[in-house]
């Protein structure tokens, strides 16, 4: 399936929304109409301004799958009520299954999760988002990316080829040529795995190390990044128990502990982290509170204060709540909360931390929760319809 129609305007949003699921009706009333470059009426056709309390929301999808979207989903949300309003679609971004923001707030990056993997840079401006271009990741099936805190390097994880890639970021936010690709070759793959599967790459809070989570090798790798050349050098690695299938890691605000979601054995693990060496030391596996069987844990979030953690369970269609104790060294299971959708692939806080968004892949919807200071979750209303929603990025 094609990624969507070209706009003829350098990848600016179309006015017909996402098309297949839920966006058409809303977009008819709210979508931005974009004039061709140089048009005399461009100012009259600029995007409709949202109320001041509304903030931007970007939604990732699969454009090459049946019932998928046609590009990057554009929307706004009300910070008070959590209500989402569709505003259009940015085409020219194929299979944008994961999204992240540059520290400057001026550029968004999306993986292109395809056999010939890529990453796309999107400029954000008052006139609307615009595609700056794409670069290959030197691997297959990229599924995660993040920006180094310096703002100079984009890191991406190639799931199918089990590798981590580095791209320089130019002053415009556009990406330069690939500067490094590192493939995870040891230890050997876990039981039932045919090879490495890099699922996440993120920088430690102190900026000293880059950590890559590999589901296929049951390993988290720590690298040092040469911030002048964009080259990775392995510093250490942490092996999980065979068959754990580590998927996603989230740090405690202290930077001394991290929490790891294991997709295959249905557990979470508290890990001690040494900033000096980059060494991660996993603790004992803990329950997700979802009962017997595999609920395919997807991702953990930690509140800004470091007092609560939330885990998305795709098979159980729930969010597990944990209290964080002992300065970050312990997770205490509280309960599970129905997510209001099917297969929550990705969860994200709004910048204020008062809202939590869950992208539900199989129900093609986004659920929004209000988060209380006591760690309570309350669904704000009916989930928002969005085709194959696999990532939500609230700004």
């Amino acid at each position: 399936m094609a990624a969507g129609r070209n706009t003829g305007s350098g990848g600016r949003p179309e006015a017909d929304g996402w098309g297949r699921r839920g966006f058409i009706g809303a977009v008819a009333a709210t979508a931005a109409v974009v004039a061709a470059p140089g048009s005399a009426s461009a100012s009259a056709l600029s995007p409709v301004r949202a109320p001041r309390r509304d903030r931007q929301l970007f939604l990732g999808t699969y454009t090459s799958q049946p019932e998928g979207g046609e590009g990057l989903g554009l929307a706004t949300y009300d910070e008070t009520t959590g209500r989402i309003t569709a505003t259009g679609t940015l085409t020219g971004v194929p299979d944008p299954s994961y999204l992240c923001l540059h520290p400057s707030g001026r550029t968004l990056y999306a993986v292109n999760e395809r056999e010939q993997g890529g990453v796309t840079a999107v400029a954000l401006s008052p006139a609307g988002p615009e595609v700056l271009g794409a670069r290959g990741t030197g691997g297959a099936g990229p599924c995660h990316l993040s920006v180094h805190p310096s703002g100079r390097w984009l890191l991406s994880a190639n799931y199918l080829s089990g590798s981590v890639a580095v791209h320089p970021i130019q002053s415009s936010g556009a990406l330069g040529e690939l500067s490094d690709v590192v493939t995870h070759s040891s230890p050997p793959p876990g039981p039932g795995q045919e090879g490495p599967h890099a699922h996440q790459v993120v920088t430690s809070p102190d900026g000293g190390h880059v950590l890559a989570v590999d589901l296929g090798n049951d390993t988290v790798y720590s690298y040092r990044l040469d911030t002048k050349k964009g080259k990775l050098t392995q510093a250490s690695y942490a092996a999980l128990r065979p068959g754990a299938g580590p998927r996603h890691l989230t740090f405690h605000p202290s930077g001394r502990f991290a929490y790891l979601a294991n997709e295959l054995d249905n557990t979470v693990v508290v890990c001690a982290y040494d900033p000096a060496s980059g060494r991660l030391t996993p603790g004992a596996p803990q329950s997700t509170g979802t009962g017997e069987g595999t609920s395919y844990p997807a991702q953990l979030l930690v509140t800004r204060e470091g007092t609560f953690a939330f885990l998305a369970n795709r098979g159980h269609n729930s969010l597990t709540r944990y209290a964080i104790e002992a300065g970050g060294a312990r997770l205490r299971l509280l309960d599970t909360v129905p997510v209001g959708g099917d297969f929550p692939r990705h969860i994200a806080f709004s910048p204020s931390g008062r809202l939590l968004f869950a992208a539900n892949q199989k129900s093609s919807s986004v659920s929004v929760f209000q988060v209380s200071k006591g760690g309570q979750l309350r669904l704000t209303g009916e989930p928002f319809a969005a085709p194959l929603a696999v990532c939500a990025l609230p700004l």
Side-chain angles (χ1 to χ4, degrees), residues 36-374:
S39 168
S41 60
S43 61
L45 295 175
S46 61
V48 176
R49 299 300 180 192
R52 185 170 298 177
R53 66 182 180 181
D54 280 3
R55 302 180 64 91
Q56 286 183 299
L57 175 67
F58 295 89
L59 299 173
T61 185
Y62 286 114
T63 60
S64 60
Q65 293 187 13
E67 303 300 317
E70 295 182 350
L72 185 61
L74 310 177
T76 61
Y77 68 96
D78 187 305
E79 177 72 16
T80 302
T81 67
R83 179 180 176 84
I84 299 175
T85 302
T87 58
T89 299
L90 181 68
T91 58
V93 189
D95 290 315
S97 65
Y98 195 86
L99 316 171
C100 75
L101 186 68
H102 190 276
S104 69
R106 296 193 296 267
T107 313
L108 175 150
Y109 299 97
V111 298
N112 309 131
E113 192 174 339
R114 296 190 163 187
E115 183 66 30
Q116 297 296 321
V119 284
T120 296
V122 177
L124 305 179
S125 73
E130 184 172 5
V131 174
L132 293 175
R135 296 285 187 178
T137 59
C143 63
H144 187 271
L145 77 175
S146 61
V147 179
H148 187 266
S150 67
R152 296 175 52 201
W153 305 98
L154 182 71
L155 311 165
S156 55
N158 293 307
Y159 179 80
L160 293 179
S161 54
S163 59
V164 176
V166 184
H167 287 85
I169 297 176
Q170 301 171 359
S171 59
S172 65
L175 299 171
E177 292 287 350
L178 192 68
S179 62
D180 200 9
V181 178
V182 177
T183 300
H184 299 154
S185 56
S186 65
Q193 302 290 337
E194 76 285 1
H197 292 308
H199 215 300
Q200 183 197 27
V201 58
V202 64
T203 306
S204 60
D206 68 319
H209 291 85
V210 170
L211 287 88
V213 181
D214 196 295
L215 185 151
N217 286 0
D218 296 320
T219 298
V220 180
Y221 299 86
S222 293
Y223 296 97
R224 289 194 180 276
L225 174 67
D226 184 328
T227 55
K228 293 182 178 180
K229 299 179 180 179
K231 300 292 184 180
L232 293 170
T233 302
Q234 186 173 319
S236 66
Y237 72 88
L240 280 297
R241 66 179 183 179
R247 177 184 175 95
H248 190 277
L249 177 146
T250 303
F251 276 93
H252 185 268
S254 69
R256 300 307 299 263
F257 299 95
Y259 312 106
L260 191 60
N262 291 324
E263 175 178 333
L264 300 182
D265 73 357
N266 197 30
T267 65
V268 296
V269 172
V270 179
C271 304
Y273 179 70
D274 177 24
S277 65
R279 183 174 299 278
L280 202 68
T281 304
Q286 296 182 225
S287 171
T288 62
T290 56
E292 297 296 326
T294 301
S295 64
Y296 302 104
Q299 181 189 1
L300 280 155
L301 288 182
V302 174
T303 57
R304 184 179 300 170
E305 300 78 15
T307 51
F308 296 96
F310 305 104
L311 171 70
N313 302 296
R314 290 171 295 167
H316 195 248
N317 290 330
S318 67
L319 301 176
T320 301
R321 298 191 313 127
Y322 296 95
I324 299 177
E325 300 175 338
R330 186 168 62 240
L331 291 179
R332 178 167 58 88
L333 177 65
L334 296 175
D335 57 20
T336 60
V337 177
V339 77
D342 190 357
F343 215 69
R345 171 75 173 268
H346 175 256
I347 54 177
F349 288 129
S350 63
S352 69
R354 292 194 295 267
L355 295 176
L356 184 152
F357 295 77
N360 305 308
Q361 181 176 353
K362 292 185 178 180
S363 58
S364 290
S365 65
V366 178
S367 303
V368 185
F369 293 83
Q370 290 182 335
V371 185
S372 75
K373 291 183 178 179

